[in-house]
Amino acid sequence: LREEERVTSEGTTENASIYTTQSMLRQELSLVRLAEKLGEQQSHATREDDVQAAIDRANERFAKQGSRLSPDQIDALRHITKGDQLSCIVGYAGAGKSTTFKAAKEVWEASGYKVYGLAPTGRAAQNLEEIGLSSQTLHKFLKDYHDGRSRYHRNSVLVLDEAGMVDVGRFNDLLQAVDHLGVKL
C-alpha cells in the first residue's frame, strides 16, 4: 500500500512499508462500503419519549447508589437508538457500555423490536446474557444464516459485543447478513 523507510532513534534505516494482499484489500473495501451504506439507512426508528423514559428509569435505579447515567452514556444511548441500521459505540472496559445497552434494550422493546446479543466468543455471549440479552456466538449466527435457518428479521436488533475481536472476513459476512435480513446491528 505504501513503501516507506524510516530512520530510527539509533540512526539506522528500517522498512516501514505497509503490505496487504489484493483479496484482503477487496474484503476491507467491501466492509467499509457496506458499513457506510448500513449507517446511512434509516430502518429502526424509536421514539424520543421512550429514550427519555429509559434514561429516567436508569437514573432511578442508580439514585439508590448515589449515581446516575453519565452524559457520555446518555449520548451513546441516543446515538444507538436512532433509526440507523448500523450504530457503534466504543468504550473501555468499565465505561458503562453494558448499562447503556440495558437502557437501549428497553427503548428498542418499547418500539416493538426484539433484541438479541452476538459475540465472537462463548464467554462474551454469556456476559450479554447477564444483562438480559438472549445471545449466541457470531459463528453460530452466521452458520444458521448460511444454512437458511436465521430467525431474525426487520423487527430484530442485534447487539454485537467485542466487535474488535472479529476478523475482516467474518465481519463482512455479518454485515451482508444484516443487510439481507434487514436487522439493526
Side-chain angles (χ1 to χ4, degrees), residues 7 9 11 23 33 38 60 79 91-92 96 101 109 112 115-116 128 131 147 151 158 173 175 180:
V7 177
S9 57
S23 65
R33 283 188 206 110
L38 294 172
E60 285 175 23
H79 171 71
Y92 293 107
F101 278 116
E109 288 176 344
V115 186
Y116 306 94
L128 289 172
I131 64 167
D147 290 346
R151 63 182 181 176
L158 303 177
D173 282 351
L175 292 188
H180 179 254

Side-chain angles (χ1 to χ4, degrees), residues 149-160:
R149 294 181 295 153
S150 180
R151 63 182 181 176
Y152 306 104
H153 48 77
R154 295 198 178 283
N155 287 333
S156 301
V157 174
L158 303 177
V159 174
L160 174 63

Side-chain angles (χ1 to χ4, degrees), residues 29 44 53 57 68 81 98 108 111 116 133 135 143 162 180:
L29 290 172
H44 288 74
R57 282 191 297 276
R68 58 188 300 112
T81 56
S98 295
W108 288 319
S111 296
Y116 306 94
L133 293 176
S135 301
K143 179 165 181 13
E162 301 291 348
H180 179 254

Side-chain angles (χ1 to χ4, degrees), residues 2-59:
R2 182 176 67 224
E3 288 189 48
E4 183 178 305
E5 286 190 352
R6 180 177 12 195
V7 177
T8 66
S9 57
E10 294 84 34
T12 60
T13 303
E14 68 180 13
N15 183 349
S17 299
I18 300 172
Y19 297 95
T20 191
T21 63
Q22 290 181 0
S23 65
M24 180 58 74
L25 183 59
R26 278 192 300 274
Q27 283 185 13
E28 289 174 347
L29 290 172
S30 172
L31 177 73
V32 169
R33 283 188 206 110
L34 189 49
E36 288 173 341
K37 173 188 165 191
L38 294 172
E40 292 170 0
Q41 288 183 181
Q42 298 297 303
S43 62
H44 288 74
T46 59
R47 297 178 292 274
E48 175 56 32
D49 291 349
D50 293 332
V51 175
Q52 190 57 53
I55 291 168
D56 294 343
R57 282 191 297 276
N59 284 337

